[in-house]
Amino acid sequence: ETGNGHPVRGEGNSPITIPPGFKVEIPQDGGVYATDTSQPGVQQPQLVATLLLRDASQTPMTRREDGLFKVHDKPSGSDFASGPIRTSVTSQALEGSNVNPSEAMVKLIEQSRMFEQQVRMVKTSHDNDQAGASMMKLS
């Protein structure tokens, strides 16, 4: 399972189970190979399962509230047909965030300044309205 507790699925949409203490290797093709490190001698890795890999380039996806994606108009976890692009896995890599912190900070500052400017405009128009109302009063 992933760090968030989601099961990792293999071909056939079944969860992948690896016995505790086994060393796991996943090459580019998505095969999950396990080696029992408690056995003496050199052990050959055994194919446990193959990761369920799909190309979603042709599938309409919707971002869920938790940041993951689901197939548009289908329940979460629904499988879909793979697109034309061959999929692969990058071994020993961690997916990074798709957010550039510097760019996000600059946008936040710009939005904050725009909000302050709009508040000043509302306050100024309110003050002008009050001044106009006081001039219209009869003494």
Side-chain angles (χ1 to χ4, degrees):
E1 67 182 35
T2 66
N4 294 338
H6 299 290
V8 177
R9 304 252 176 216
E11 289 295 331
N13 209 13
S14 60
I16 297 175
T17 305
I18 299 169
F22 277 55
K23 179 183 173 193
V24 177
E25 297 175 26
I26 303 175
Q28 277 190 316
D29 67 354
V32 179
Y33 293 88
T35 307
D36 187 1
T37 57
S38 65
Q39 296 293 323
V42 177
Q43 298 293 319
Q44 289 294 333
Q46 299 295 317
L47 180 65
V48 176
T50 303
L51 291 175
L52 179 63
L53 301 175
R54 297 286 185 260
D55 168 34
S57 63
Q58 307 278 319
T59 306
M61 305 292 274
T62 304
R63 184 183 301 267
R64 299 184 333 195
E65 289 182 14
D66 61 1
L68 299 176
F69 290 90
K70 69 175 190 152
V71 179
H72 186 68
D73 291 337
K74 287 191 178 179
S76 292
S78 297
D79 196 8
F80 58 92
S82 186
I85 300 173
R86 185 176 173 270
T87 57
S88 64
V89 176
T90 303
S91 181
Q92 297 182 349
L94 181 63
E95 182 179 355
S97 173
N98 62 353
V99 176
N100 180 343
S102 302
E103 187 177 311
M105 184 178 66
V106 168
K107 284 183 180 180
L108 179 64
I109 291 170
E110 286 175 355
Q111 290 177 349
S112 176
R113 287 181 180 164
M114 286 175 51
F115 176 76
E116 288 173 2
Q117 185 179 16
Q118 290 174 352
V119 167
R120 267 191 249 118
M121 286 176 47
V122 168
K123 187 176 185 290
T124 302
S125 68
H126 182 267
D127 291 345
N128 287 342
D129 185 45
Q130 291 293 329
S134 68
M135 285 189 336
M136 297 300 282
K137 288 183 184 177
L138 295 173
S139 354

